[in-house]
Amino acid sequence: MNRQEFLSRVGIGVGAIVLTHCMTACSSGGDDTPAPSTPGTGSGGKTNLSLNLNDAANGALKQNGGFLYKDGVIIARTKDGEFIAVAQACTHQGTTVQFDAAGNRLHCPNHGSNFKIDGSVINGPAGSPLKKFKTSFDAATNTLKVTE
Ligand code: FES
């Protein structure tokens, strides 16, 4: 083996090792945290929920302080009787938030983020607000609409 053959063989060997390490690192790296899904969109359309409060499934909203989840949205009735609706997935890592009626806020039980009822951040680690939805209540039909 002459010098040129030796260098050629060593170069191919080193290249193969570097390529193997790169491919291993690239395939195992990254954040495995799933991105929060877009709430309330169902089959990809815009959120347009209609909840009849006469239905047992929506009974939690008959009382002040009650809340429920529907299609990725947490819908609550504050202690003052106001309806609110925001995305239920915490903007930190996607955990489902809860409505804290006494504190008039939304709380994430995973790492302790808190949000105002308009979805804005009170404290992190979440750094982004929860998406807010519009609510309108028709007392004649006892129906709450939640839209974007
Ligand atoms: S997932 Fe909500 S604070 Fe971390």
Side-chain angles (χ1 to χ4, degrees):
M1 175 185 316
N2 65 28
R3 183 172 166 229
Q4 188 175 10
E5 287 174 346
F6 173 77
L7 290 175
S8 176
R9 287 186 182 180
V10 169
I12 290 171
V14 169
I17 291 169
V18 169
L19 183 60
T20 301
H21 279 278
C22 179
M23 291 176 70
T24 302
C26 293
S27 64
S28 65
D31 186 354
D32 292 336
T33 304
S37 59
T38 303
T41 53
S43 60
K46 290 198 166 206
T47 295
N48 186 8
L49 304 173
S50 180
L51 295 90
N52 187 319
L53 301 197
N54 293 325
D55 292 346
N58 303 323
L61 297 177
K62 285 184 173 179
Q63 300 154 11
N64 292 355
F67 68 98
L68 56 79
Y69 302 100
K70 178 85 173 170
D71 293 351
V73 180
I74 180 170
I75 304 159
R77 190 169 190 166
T78 69
K79 59 186 178 186
D80 298 326
E82 176 189 2
F83 291 103
I84 63 148
V86 297
Q88 73 180 51
C90 178
T91 55
H92 180 226
Q93 289 184 352
T95 300
T96 297
V97 299
Q98 303 163 340
F99 180 60
D100 170 13
N104 204 35
R105 64 184 184 168
L106 297 132
H107 172 72
C108 178
N110 200 353
H111 308 107
S113 289
N114 289 297
F115 304 86
K116 292 181 182 176
I117 56 173
D118 67 359
S120 60
V121 176
I122 297 171
N123 67 274
S128 304
L130 301 170
K131 180 177 180 175
K132 184 182 180 194
F133 296 88
K134 296 176 194 154
T135 59
S136 62
F137 182 65
D138 181 351
T141 60
N142 208 21
T143 300
L144 176 67
K145 293 205 179 288
V146 177
T147 56
E148 290 190 40

